[in-house]
């Protein structure tokens, strides 16, 4: 397993994912589809995120249980943080912030975030993805 390093366009927000994920998540909720994110979700202890709080802004949508964290300078959404990180225990980073060649071989799973239907590539969910 290889550590993967990502950053926003200007470099003010960086992250290190300490192990290669089994898959990336393509969520079809209204926000993720618009920003074209591919998420890697892992235990908090497996991800380092580095930023100055003054350099980011946070966006909450829907049930407001998490913040999408965006760089205040370049506008890139680098990750999301749950409001109860100790209880949830996980963090997601946007893998489009990593060089494409480094993630090209990682499988992508489609998640039904629009209606919380779960993973849709198992043949049971609706296939109304934002991406073709």
């Amino acid at each position: 397993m290889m550590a993967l390093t990502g950053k926003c366009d200007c470099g003010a927000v960086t992250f290190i994912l300490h192990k290669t994920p089994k898959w990336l998540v393509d969520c079809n909720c209204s926000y993720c589809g618009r920003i074209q994110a591919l998420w890697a979700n892992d235990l908090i202890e497996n991800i380092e995120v580095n930023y100055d709080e003054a350099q980011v802004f946070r966006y909450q949508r829907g049930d407001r249980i998490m913040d999408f964290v965006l760089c205040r300078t370049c506008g890139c959404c680098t990750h999301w943080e749950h409001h109860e990180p100790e209880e949830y225990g996980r963090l997601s980073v946007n893998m489009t912030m990593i060089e494409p060649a480094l993630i090209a071989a990682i499988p992508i799973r489609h998640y039904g975030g629009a209606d919380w239907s779960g993973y849709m590539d198992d043949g049971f969910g609706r296939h109304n993805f934002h991406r073709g």
Side-chain angles (χ1 to χ4, degrees):
M1 301 264 178
M2 162 175 91
L4 297 167
T5 302
K7 64 178 183 167
C8 65
D9 195 49
C10 72
V13 182
T14 63
F15 64 82
I16 300 170
L17 184 61
H18 289 286
K19 63 180 191 174
T20 304
K22 291 181 183 177
W23 65 78
L24 304 179
V25 177
D26 180 7
C27 177
N28 74 348
C29 79
S30 61
Y31 186 70
C32 292
R34 284 180 174 91
I35 66 167
Q36 299 288 292
L38 288 173
W39 300 107
N41 187 292
D42 206 336
L43 299 173
I44 291 172
E45 58 263 22
N46 293 332
I47 302 174
E48 286 179 50
V49 182
N50 300 294
Y51 60 92
D52 179 340
E53 191 65 39
Q55 283 293 111
V56 300
F57 62 94
R58 296 168 177 275
Y59 171 65
Q60 297 177 7
R61 66 172 297 280
D63 55 11
R64 302 188 188 286
I65 61 169
M66 63 187 195
D67 290 343
F68 290 97
V69 181
L70 297 89
C71 175
R72 195 173 289 280
T73 302
C74 66
C76 290
C77 180
T78 55
H79 65 288
W80 62 257
E81 298 173 356
H82 198 276
H83 286 183
E84 297 179 14
E86 296 81 22
E87 182 178 322
Y88 185 68
R90 301 184 76 76
L91 183 68
S92 282
V93 291
N94 185 353
M95 299 296 278
T96 64
M97 303 294 123
I98 291 178
E99 291 297 320
L102 297 176
I103 64 169
I106 303 173
I108 296 173
R109 294 195 67 194
H110 300 281
Y111 186 77
D115 61 6
W116 296 100
S117 59
Y119 286 102
M120 300 183 340
D121 47 4
D122 59 8
F124 298 105
R126 295 183 327 192
H127 294 272
N128 57 346
F129 307 121
H130 285 278
R131 280 184 222 145

